[in-house]
Amino acid sequence: MSDGVVVAEGQAAEPGLSQVERVVDTFIAPTKTFTDILRNRSWWLPFLLTVIISLGVTATVTSKVGWERVVENQIQASPKQQDAMASLTPEQHAARMHGMTVGYMYTSYAFPLLILLFSAIAALGLWATFNFVLGASTTFGEMFCLWMYCGLPKLLIGLLTILTLFFGGNAEAFDLKNPVGTNLGYYFPDAGAGLKAALGFFDIIGIWTLVLLVIGTSIVARVSRGKAAAVIVGWWVLILIISVASAAAFS
């Protein structure tokens, strides 16, 4: 019998967890949280925490860095964007900078909604893979709820970003796409775009999330940990390849 089934049956008689307990247990006892998803697919608290921290990051970047500086730093990190901006007239350059600044700012405010959209797409992909490839029996709602809880460690990146900017962060070197040093790409700022994108996937928070996804999908899909790991790592490798190719082509 799979690990997920053993956990689910072993805890079926236990009382349900509160939303706060589920968030806490995601960090200290994830199997309890993921088993409880089989009882209740509510995901409002992880989303609320995402909204709060996302708005906190946006407010901090606005006050400590400024969105024009954010755009300038992103352009400096992309030779193709530098060449494109250099070919513009002063009026065109100013208009392009204004448009990019507004775009980055509004995107940051809308980030929680983008998280919902991405989570829905990711959950759909996992649901389809487990149900149609492995023959599992899970629902989209369970996978979506699981994805939201597994993403909780990534909120630590937001908290670290806020703390770093408030206590000595360098606005001129701030990279909105890679704000803190939890991954290898952060320590090689002069690496090529493709290599930097690849190194960015070797992230301690990201790996933590992958481990949670393996544990969680094995429980909600009722498959072995080995099969769950094959699916999660397989998707991770595919996204890594696509991201590296895109970075090399467009940066």
Side-chain angles (χ1 to χ4, degrees), residues 58 67-68 70-71 95-111 114 176:
T58 298
W67 292 101
E68 288 188 2
V70 169
V71 171
R96 179 72 63 83
M97 285 293 296
H98 176 72
M100 293 178 67
T101 299
V102 172
Y104 269 87
M105 182 175 63
Y106 284 169
T107 299
S108 184
Y109 279 110
F111 190 71
L114 297 177
L176 184 64

Side-chain angles (χ1 to χ4, degrees), residues 8-234:
E9 292 182 351
Q11 297 186 12
E14 294 184 2
L17 302 176
S18 69
Q19 297 301 306
V20 173
E21 287 174 331
R22 283 166 64 149
V23 168
V24 173
D25 282 342
T26 299
F27 293 92
I28 63 175
T31 57
K32 291 183 179 180
T33 294
F34 302 149
T35 301
D36 199 59
I37 290 173
L38 297 172
R39 178 190 64 87
N40 182 349
R41 298 191 295 271
S42 176
W43 46 268
W44 65 266
L45 186 53
F47 180 64
L48 178 61
L49 294 174
T50 299
V51 171
I52 293 171
I53 293 178
S54 176
L55 292 178
V57 171
T58 298
T60 304
V61 171
T62 300
S63 63
K64 296 297 183 180
V65 181
W67 292 101
E68 288 188 2
R69 168 56 62 182
V70 169
V71 171
E72 290 173 359
N73 291 351
Q74 294 303 314
I75 291 174
Q76 292 173 5
S78 172
K80 290 188 178 181
Q81 286 196 51
Q82 290 182 46
D83 292 341
M85 296 296 285
S87 66
L88 301 176
T89 65
E91 293 79 10
Q92 291 173 328
H93 186 278
R96 179 72 63 83
M97 285 293 296
H98 176 72
M100 293 178 67
T101 299
V102 172
Y104 269 87
M105 182 175 63
Y106 284 169
T107 299
S108 184
Y109 279 110
F111 190 71
L113 298 179
L114 297 177
I115 287 292
L116 279 182
L117 177 61
F118 177 79
S119 297
I121 295 172
L124 182 62
L126 291 178
W127 170 80
T129 304
F130 278 96
N131 279 18
F132 298 118
V133 177
L134 297 184
S137 177
T138 185
T139 67
F140 170 78
E142 289 170 346
M143 281 295 178
F144 184 83
C145 181
L146 173 67
W147 184 274
M148 295 298 291
Y149 277 96
C150 288
L152 284 172
K154 292 186 178 181
L155 298 183
L156 296 176
I157 295 176
L159 291 175
L160 289 172
T161 300
I162 294 171
L163 292 174
T164 299
L165 290 176
F166 266 105
F167 299 100
N170 183 3
E172 295 184 357
F174 179 74
D175 183 354
L176 184 64
K177 295 180 179 179
N178 195 3
V180 291
T182 60
N183 65 84
L184 294 178
Y186 181 88
Y187 301 99
F188 296 90
D190 298 325
L195 176 59
K196 190 173 181 179
L199 292 174
F201 273 74
F202 293 90
D203 184 296
I204 187 170
I205 302 295
I207 293 172
W208 184 357
T209 300
L210 286 180
V211 172
L212 291 178
L213 281 170
V214 170
I215 297 171
T217 53
S218 72
I219 292 172
V220 300
R222 302 169 180 84
V223 300
S224 69
R225 292 277 172 85
K227 289 181 179 180
V231 171
I232 298 304
V233 174

